[in-house]
Amino acid sequence: MTVLELIEAGARQLEAAGVAYGHGTTNAFDEAAWLVLWRLGLPLDDLDSVSNKPVAQADSGLVATLFEARIATRKPAAYLTREAWLQGVPFYVDERAIVPRSFIAELLAEGGIDAWLGDHTRRVLDLCTGNGSLAVLAALAYPDVRVDAADLSPDALEVARINVARHGLQERITLLASDGLCAVRGPYDLILCNPPYVNAQSMATLPAEYRAEPAMALAGGADGMDFIRQLLRDAPPCMSEDAVLVLEIGNERANFEAAFPALPVFWLDTSAGEDQVLLVERATLTQALARDRPPV
Ligand SMILES: C[S@@+](CC[C@H](N)C(=O)[O-])C[C@H]1O[C@@H](n2cnc3c(N)ncnc32)[C@H](O)[C@@H]1O
């Protein structure tokens, strides 16, 4: 069998088993390609150059075992390969942290928030850092900033520590255990946050692949806004005068707007559309609080 034939057979197997995607791939072929190429030790980003390569029987056996594990455990591929890629940057991941897939990564890599940044942007907070991927990408995108990366989960922080070291960023990224903003040391010029925001109804019907991730990384209460309500209340004192907060909310725009009807925000364009990530300026948050119409 060739590499391509193995991938096509694997994709048919994944489809027949009804596995769920969304942790780095969106379809059976891409997921199968990832698993096959990784297992064979081939480059993940250049299928064309290896697609006709014959695969030895023993290697086909190793691939078959990996597909069996993907189907039997329903774990996202990244938990089996121990690696996830965001914007071309590799990250270690295991079951202690959610598989990184934030759309904020695109904004960092493509300059989507640069209009709000400038010489004043010195201190960045990645709140809810998980495996530390956004903190690393922010440090790579903005070489002059220092980044604090905070999470409530000691397990996630251990994974983040591995990634900070992997990218040699120990001097510029500080990991902090913090419940929301309780233990961080502002003021920050930029806060990035991909918080737990999945509403209770959606949590109840999540595919097994998502249930393989830490529940505290996903569950945001009845309307998904539990963490975000507290964050918007607490954020202004942690922000410098021109600071902005970039917040991912997934598919919860309707719940966000119901919870904060009077809060003007900028919706940022990502490959997922214009309603998954928003930006709010400190002045806007402060005014909303001062008007006695807090955004909560
Ligand atoms: C959706 S994940 C995002 C992880 C990472 N930023 C990413 O994009 O892959 C949410 C993270 O928030 C953390 N978390 C949940 N509740 C928290 C809290 N009260 N304070 C700080 N972090 C919290 C979880 O441990 C998890 O790592």
Side-chain angles (χ1 to χ4, degrees):
M1 257 193 176
T2 65
V3 170
L4 184 59
E5 286 166 343
L6 208 50
I7 291 171
E8 287 169 343
R12 285 193 293 274
Q13 221 184 324
L14 295 177
E15 261 169 18
V19 306
Y21 309 102
H23 293 85
T25 69
T26 57
N27 60 76
F29 184 88
D30 289 352
E31 182 97 356
W34 179 7
L35 291 171
V36 170
L37 294 172
W38 176 81
R39 183 74 288 175
L40 298 179
L42 297 170
L44 301 185
D45 56 355
D46 194 11
L47 173 57
D48 287 349
S49 71
V50 295
S51 58
N52 292 324
K53 199 174 148 58
V55 179
Q57 189 110 31
D59 287 340
S60 297
L62 293 176
V63 169
T65 305
L66 183 60
F67 275 79
E68 279 159 23
R70 173 72 179 84
I71 289 166
T73 65
R74 301 282 155 159
K75 287 184 181 179
Y79 283 161
L80 303 174
T81 65
R82 296 290 194 237
E83 189 165 66
W85 293 71
L86 259 190
Q87 297 299 311
V89 178
F91 294 99
Y92 173 81
V93 71
D94 65 32
E95 290 85 344
R96 292 174 292 174
I98 191 173
V99 177
R101 51 187 175 275
S102 170
F103 292 104
I104 295 174
E106 285 177 30
L107 297 167
L108 292 172
E110 294 167 10
I113 50 176
D114 289 2
W116 285 271
L117 311 181
D119 288 344
H120 68 279
T121 310
R122 296 278 159 195
R123 296 195 61 209
V124 176
L125 171 66
D126 174 21
L127 182 61
C128 299
T129 195
N131 84 333
S133 49
L134 295 181
V136 167
L137 290 174
L140 295 177
Y142 309 118
D144 294 329
V145 305
R146 296 186 69 85
V147 183
D148 284 352
D151 205 288
L152 179 59
S153 160
D155 276 350
L157 286 169
E158 282 309 307
V159 179
R161 196 174 309 285
I162 294 168
N163 285 311
V164 171
R166 177 173 185 168
H167 292 285
L169 290 165
Q170 300 94 321
E171 299 295 314
R172 293 180 51 218
I173 299 180
T174 303
L175 297 170
L176 299 169
S178 181
D179 184 354
L181 292 165
C182 287
V184 303
R185 303 181 296 240
Y188 296 100
D189 308 307
L190 169 64
I191 299 179
L192 308 169
C193 185
N194 178 22
Y197 56 65
V198 181
N199 70 65
Q201 199 180 352
S202 300
M203 280 301 292
T205 57
L206 282 181
E209 280 78 355
Y210 294 81
R211 282 185 274 116
E213 298 183 294
M216 70 179 286
L218 298 171
D223 65 352
M225 296 296 124
D226 283 4
F227 181 92
I228 293 170
R229 273 193 190 83
Q230 188 71 42
L231 171 64
L232 298 192
R233 255 190 235 121
D234 294 347
C238 295
M239 299 169 82
S240 61
E241 194 176 339
D242 294 321
V244 293
L245 164 67
V246 175
L247 180 66
E248 184 153 339
I249 57 153
N251 297 319
E252 305 288 344
R253 180 169 178 170
N255 281 330
F256 181 88
E257 290 180 335
F260 314 108
L263 184 69
V265 302
F266 296 90
W267 292 99
L268 303 179
D269 198 11
T270 71
S271 60
E274 272 190 25
D275 53 7
Q276 303 247 338
V277 183
L278 62 90
L279 179 148
V280 59
E281 297 169 335
R282 174 185 177 269
T284 306
L285 281 176
T286 309
Q287 282 159 17
L289 290 165
R291 276 199 313 262
D292 201 27
R293 277 196 301 164
V296 290

